[in-house]
Amino acid sequence: MEEACRELVQFLQLTTRFEIKLTAIQNVLAITGTPDGQKLIFDNKKLLECILTLTKDSHPAVVNESYLCIINLSTYGRASEILLKNYEILPEFFKVICDGESPYSDKVCSIINNLTRGKDGAKVVAQCLADVYPDGSKVIKLAKLLEIFSKVEYNKSCSMDYLAAFFSNLTQLPEVRQFFLDQSKIRINQLFPFLTYKKSVKRRGGIAATIRNCCFEYESHDWLLSEDVDLLPHLLLPLAGAEEFDDDDNDRLPLDLQYLPSDKQREEDPDVRVILVEALTLLCATQSGRAYVKDKNTYVIMRELYRWETENDNTDVAETCEKLVQILISDEPEDGRENLLTCDIPEEHLKKLQSCG
């Protein structure tokens, strides 16, 4: 196989005849489908460089196959370490994403999503974002990527949905969370419409995770729950069903949760529901956050959600919901333990919070 890989290199040149080159890159694509094949290619530097170079080929079919190869390769355990540290791929990748006419944008978004799943990869990519790291390489601004993502028809042939997961990966880093939590920009509000975006669970899940990650910054909780941002109803609405409440319970709910229609549907994806409940749980880490969340009658939404999840045998969601319900109905911690993310806390509360994220 190693000898075959070396032979393939001669057919993977920009100057090679199209038919031969296309067949060769298709053979490489087949190899990239297994961990052993991925390792083989990463061990063959010339072959890897040929694949990267062919993303600039003049034939769209060859370019497409090359990007598919890189998507597969980007799932390899050491991919981010090898690709991001040894090759200047990010400037070209971000150029493709910004090109509203490029048919390859979704593939590139998938690649950078894979490469940033770990913190090390996320850090390397984040350092290219001029508005996150002013002293970095300044390849692009995260604000530009957020703008592209927010325009759902920015690219007519690509959905750009994987940018949501990319944002989620980046918000593993506190400095990226601060970008979204900048109170002078209120950028986090731009994410809210995609919590209920029916056309793409990738968008809903990625944005829910991005917001959940931002909720680890407990210093911002009061602002997130304030009228300037009003995060709570945006998290609760996808979790609410068509259950009817009496006037007293309805009046205590946020306005957007009051008297919902009889055909109201919950978020259909259980993983997204878990993430939303985790975000709510994190907002209960501080005393003021707990007081606000309780005051807005979050309990009744969570109570009905727990019943519904239990009836539908969604054990993971039900368990996550139960943890939040226990916090909502528990007495306040004793003095000195008000912040559940920073103090020494009872084991049962610690497990509830550590399970988030």
Side-chain angles (χ1 to χ4, degrees):
M1 181 65 77
E2 292 182 8
E3 179 62 30
C5 286
R6 284 193 290 270
E7 291 181 2
L8 276 172
V9 169
Q10 63 183 310
F11 303 121
L12 295 169
Q13 306 300 314
L14 292 173
T15 54
T16 303
R17 200 169 78 232
F18 166 65
E19 294 83 0
I20 297 175
K21 184 167 43 182
L22 180 60
T23 300
I25 193 65
Q26 288 172 338
N27 286 331
V28 172
L29 178 58
I31 297 172
T32 64
T34 67
D36 288 343
Q38 293 165 2
K39 183 179 185 304
L40 186 66
I41 290 175
F42 277 117
D43 288 342
N44 191 316
K45 184 178 179 181
K46 289 185 178 180
L47 180 55
L48 177 59
E49 290 175 351
C50 284
I51 298 169
L52 296 173
T53 299
L54 286 180
T55 61
K56 301 179 180 66
D57 195 79
S58 59
H59 296 91
V62 173
V63 175
N64 189 69
E65 297 296 288
S66 300
Y67 276 124
L68 290 175
C69 287
I70 301 171
I71 289 174
N72 287 347
L73 291 172
S74 65
T75 65
Y76 182 66
R78 295 181 56 232
S80 61
E81 176 187 347
I82 297 169
L83 291 174
L84 295 176
K85 294 183 179 179
N86 296 321
Y87 300 97
E88 291 290 326
I89 59 175
L90 291 176
E92 183 63 28
F93 280 1
F94 285 127
K95 182 179 178 181
V96 171
I97 291 174
C98 291
D99 181 359
E101 302 296 324
S102 174
Y104 313 115
S105 295
D106 276 345
K107 293 179 177 60
V108 172
C109 288
S110 179
I111 293 167
I112 64 170
N113 170 45
N114 289 338
L115 293 177
T116 55
R117 285 180 177 173
K119 272 193 175 183
D120 289 342
K123 183 82 174 206
V124 172
V125 174
Q127 287 175 335
C128 294
L129 305 172
D131 44 0
V132 177
Y133 289 95
D135 297 328
S137 57
K138 302 181 181 179
V139 173
I140 194 174
K141 289 187 175 182
L142 183 52
K144 177 64 176 177
L145 297 176
L146 181 58
E147 176 189 344
I148 289 171
F149 176 79
S150 299
K151 296 178 179 178
V152 292
E153 295 187 356
Y154 179 85
N155 187 315
K156 292 291 191 289
S157 62
C158 295
S159 70
M160 318 301 285
D161 289 347
Y162 275 110
L163 280 178
F166 173 60
F167 294 154
S168 170
N169 293 343
L170 290 182
T171 51
Q172 295 176 85
L173 307 172
E175 48 270 44
V176 179
R177 296 200 288 264
Q178 291 305 323
F179 168 86
F180 285 103
L181 295 170
D182 184 338
Q183 297 188 22
S184 67
K185 304 291 185 182
I186 318 185
R187 296 185 179 105
I188 198 167
N189 287 36
Q190 296 180 52
L191 305 179
F192 292 167
F194 301 107
L195 288 173
T196 53
Y197 186 71
K198 297 296 185 184
K199 294 182 179 180
S200 173
V201 68
K202 292 188 184 73
R203 284 202 176 221
R204 298 198 306 275
I207 291 308
T210 300
I211 294 172
R212 185 270 316 275
N213 290 349
C214 289
C215 289
F216 278 100
E217 301 296 325
Y218 62 86
E219 299 93 340
S220 297
H221 284 184
D222 287 347
W223 176 70
L224 287 170
L225 294 170
S226 72
E227 292 183 0
D228 290 339
V229 181
D230 202 21
L231 174 58
L232 184 60
H234 293 284
L235 297 176
L236 288 176
L237 190 59
L239 299 173
E243 294 85 6
E244 294 184 1
F245 301 113
D246 61 31
D247 290 343
D248 180 59
D249 275 335
N250 266 306
D251 289 345
R252 292 175 57 205
L253 285 166
L255 187 61
D256 291 345
L257 275 294
Q258 295 179 12
Y259 301 100
L260 294 174
S262 58
D263 60 350
K264 171 67 173 68
Q265 299 292 313
R266 288 186 170 89
E267 162 59 50
E268 63 185 30
D269 188 274
D271 292 333
V272 178
R273 296 198 301 273
V274 165
I275 294 169
L276 292 168
V277 177
E278 288 174 346
L280 289 164
T281 304
L282 287 167
L283 290 173
C284 291
T286 62
Q287 186 178 40
S288 58
R290 285 190 299 278
Y292 185 87
V293 172
K294 290 179 181 181
D295 184 63
K296 292 299 180 180
N297 211 15
T298 299
Y299 168 73
V300 298
I301 301 295
M302 291 300 106
R303 180 191 66 200
E304 298 305 317
L305 175 63
Y306 174 75
R307 288 175 179 171
W308 184 81
E309 301 288 4
T310 302
E311 290 170 0
N312 288 279
D313 296 322
N314 296 320
T315 305
D316 290 345
V317 192
E319 289 179 353
T320 306
C321 187
E322 184 179 15
K323 295 169 188 174
L324 174 56
V325 169
Q326 289 301 317
I327 291 176
L328 294 175
I329 65 177
S330 296
D331 294 333
E332 275 297 301
E334 61 190 63
D335 290 347
R337 296 177 180 237
E338 293 88 351
N339 189 322
L340 302 182
L341 287 175
T342 61
C343 67
D344 293 328
I345 58 178
E347 185 68 21
E348 64 270 18
H349 289 301
L350 182 63
K351 288 180 179 178
K352 293 168 192 172
L353 290 164
Q354 287 180 335
S355 65
C356 296

